[in-house]
Amino acid sequence: MADICILDTSIILNILNVSNKNQNRVKVIDEFETYAESNCRFIIPLVVAVEVGNHISQNGNGDTRREIAKQFVDMMQKTFDGSSPFEISNFDLKLEWRNWINEFIDKAGQNKTPDKPNEGMSLTDLSIIKEYEDIQAKNKANKRKHVNVFIWSLDSDLIHYGHSY
């Protein structure tokens, strides 16, 4: 069974080549090809799709935003119809958030990382981490061949949730 890769916003922004958000594009594309060759499953959390859309709408002039938005929508449409290497998460947002939203109070109040002492964990990052934990738990319960679940991110607060290669 293939590893499961949960994509963070930073990765999709580089794949889409969004100006001012694509500093690691070459590295991301190289890693993407490696993961794809290994039949890795790429999961896009719904909150990540929303955050990518927000970054696109706040970046560049109207023509640039429109062109990147078109690429993003095309990528997402292919994701929804199963003709891309990506899958949208199967996360029941309402139910899951209800189960853990109170954790956000502490996460927002804690320092994100030692080098970001005035910033707490975002609700998006908490959602991604909770989805990671949920997918890991489901895979352990299946008792099938071990599947490595990891968050692929360029952000210092999410890179601790593993890489497969």
Side-chain angles (χ1 to χ4, degrees), residues 48-80:
V48 167
V50 171
E51 192 170 54
V52 167
N54 289 342
H55 282 291
I56 290 169
S57 71
Q58 298 166 358
N59 193 343
N61 66 34
D63 289 337
T64 301
R65 291 190 307 266
R66 183 174 173 76
E67 183 56 37
I68 296 293
K70 185 179 179 304
Q71 290 174 30
F72 176 61
V73 168
D74 183 54
M75 181 184 91
M76 292 307 298
Q77 291 293 357
K78 288 177 180 174
T79 298
F80 292 129

Side-chain angles (χ1 to χ4, degrees), residues 125-143:
D125 287 352
L126 180 59
S127 297
I128 294 167
I129 291 166
K130 289 300 182 179
E131 187 155 354
Y132 163 84
E133 291 171 351
D134 183 60
I135 291 171
Q136 263 200 327
K138 286 177 182 172
N139 277 291
K140 285 181 182 175
N142 278 343
K143 297 190 184 351

Side-chain angles (χ1 to χ4, degrees), residues 93-111:
L93 201 55
K94 182 178 177 181
L95 177 62
E96 294 297 331
W97 276 35
R98 183 177 184 162
N99 289 337
W100 54 257
I101 190 66
N102 288 330
E103 288 183 42
F104 181 61
I105 298 166
D106 290 334
K107 298 295 184 184
Q110 296 172 353
N111 293 338

